[in-house]
Amino acid sequence: MNEPVIKFKNVSKIYDNGTLGLKNINLEVNSGEFIAVVGLSGAGKSTLLRSINQLQTISEGDVLIDGESIVKARGKKLRTIRRSIGMIFQNFNLVKQSSVLRNVLSGRIGYYSTLRSILGLFSSTDKRKAIEALKRVNLAEKVYTRADELSGGQQQRVAIARTLIQDPKIILADEPIASLDPMTTKLVLDDLKKINDELKITIMINLHSKELARKYASRIIGLRSGELIYDKKIEDVTESQLDEIYNGNILQKEITNE
Ligand code: ADP
């Protein structure tokens, strides 16, 4: 059996103000999985995703990426692990007044010295890579368009292309479709699914709709009050369980029982 691409070992997170973010999470994610993370607001989904690339530090335990601790890594090692993890966000996080090409190229910064990245001296190989990535999300014709001239869905696909040129093993998607309409949502999720299938990049995503989870995810994990309380392959999840997850019953049941 191969090493899991992501492994949580007894991970807890308590924020500075004492709020519990995560409670003793143990989780293994294998390469190529497409994981939907579900839970009520405040359940810890975002904290879980952000602890994978250490955008959020953890209080206890360890997070291993391909067998190596990202929590203990420093300097070059940390940079190397981090660039293997792409992330997309609800608000896209693009530089709005820059071109699509520049935005995508910025995904490559983890491979450059600080000076070179400040000067924006990207190699022609990387420019070709950026255009390849844009082709994958069907935006090759927008290379020189300013990011803020694109629709929300197009901006999110530029953000996906930006992660792709990192050559990531993992893409984390924190509420990536929360501000998109259903049509655009489909385009963005189709792109992520294609990337998952063709490039075998592992995807972890917050998904708020059971239809979308059924259609795109290979596994569903559920969080409640910072604890992992549900973990099943999609083919083992019955319709009624999926209903219960998404109407919140499973995710809040034991709050009242405990
Ligand atoms: P979700 O993504 O499921 O909505 P979060 O991971 O954002 O949940 O939050 C989990 C818990 O941690 C919530 O109680 C939230 O209020 C709290 N939390 C999140 N970020 C912070 C922070 N920076 N400081 C203090 N508490 C936080």
Side-chain angles (χ1 to χ4, degrees):
M1 180 90 188
N2 289 338
E3 190 89 61
V5 65
I6 305 169
K7 183 169 181 171
F8 281 77
K9 279 167 72 178
N10 307 317
V11 173
S12 294
K13 167 70 183 179
I14 297 164
Y15 285 100
D16 290 346
N17 64 2
T19 308
L20 179 75
L22 296 174
K23 189 171 168 193
N24 198 28
I25 302 283
N26 285 289
L27 174 69
E28 292 190 0
V29 176
N30 295 313
S31 181
E33 289 193 280
F34 192 120
I35 299 197
V37 184
V38 301
L40 303 177
S41 175
K45 304 179 295 294
S46 189
T47 309
L48 183 87
L49 290 178
R50 285 160 195 254
S51 62
I52 294 170
N53 59 359
Q54 288 291 286
L55 202 58
Q56 187 57 257
T57 57
I58 57 172
S59 313
E60 262 178 58
D62 205 352
V63 179
L64 309 184
I65 306 298
D66 256 350
E68 291 198 280
S69 169
I70 185 167
V71 178
K72 299 191 187 103
R74 298 284 177 272
K76 188 157 182 262
K77 182 99 191 160
L78 178 60
R79 243 161 71 106
T80 307
I81 301 177
R82 273 220 171 110
R83 73 188 181 201
S84 72
I85 309 171
M87 190 160 200
I88 59 171
F89 302 87
Q90 177 176 354
N91 60 1
F92 324 129
N93 279 11
L94 300 182
V95 181
K96 293 196 181 316
Q97 58 282 24
S98 286
S99 70
V100 165
L101 180 64
R102 282 234 146 242
N103 271 286
V104 175
L105 280 169
S106 72
R108 208 63 198 156
I109 275 175
Y111 289 86
Y112 284 79
S113 68
T114 314
L115 182 64
R116 234 182 129 183
S117 55
I118 290 170
L119 296 176
L121 298 173
F122 295 103
S123 68
S124 49
T125 311
D126 283 346
K127 285 183 189 150
R128 276 198 299 277
K129 240 175 140 54
I131 290 164
E132 276 305 307
L134 283 166
K135 278 188 189 150
R136 233 175 233 289
V137 295
N138 291 317
L139 285 177
E141 80 282 12
K142 301 287 187 193
V143 176
Y144 299 108
T145 308
R146 262 174 62 139
D148 58 4
E149 287 168 19
L150 301 179
S151 69
Q154 288 172 331
Q155 290 190 41
Q156 193 58 291
R157 283 146 64 212
V158 171
I160 294 173
R162 181 180 57 191
T163 68
L164 280 182
I165 77 160
Q166 279 178 243
D167 288 330
K169 294 187 181 123
I170 302 162
I171 294 181
L172 308 173
D174 195 8
E175 309 270 359
I177 52 171
S179 47
L180 304 178
D181 61 57
M183 255 310 282
T184 319
T185 290
K186 182 176 182 307
L187 289 175
V188 167
L189 290 175
D190 283 350
D191 278 338
L192 286 174
K193 186 72 190 154
K194 195 170 82 175
I195 287 163
N196 174 245
D197 286 341
E198 292 175 5
L199 304 176
K200 308 292 172 220
I201 295 173
T202 306
I203 312 254
M204 272 184 90
I205 177 170
N206 291 350
L207 271 186
H208 288 297
S209 131
K210 65 175 188 150
E211 287 76 20
L212 295 177
R214 176 67 87 196
K215 181 161 178 210
Y216 293 98
S218 61
R219 177 174 166 194
I220 295 188
I221 63 174
L223 289 174
R224 186 187 59 218
S225 308
E227 285 187 83
L228 187 73
I229 48 104
Y230 191 88
D231 183 355
K232 275 199 174 171
K233 289 199 168 127
I234 192 75
E235 60 266 28
D236 298 333
V237 181
T238 63
E239 266 326 287
S240 63
Q241 278 175 343
L242 203 56
D243 275 338
E244 282 202 68
I245 293 172
Y246 275 95
N247 65 23
N249 283 351
I250 287 185
L251 301 171
Q252 64 189 350
K253 195 157 32 190
E254 275 145 58
I255 295 177
T256 44
N257 292 348
E258 270 166 8

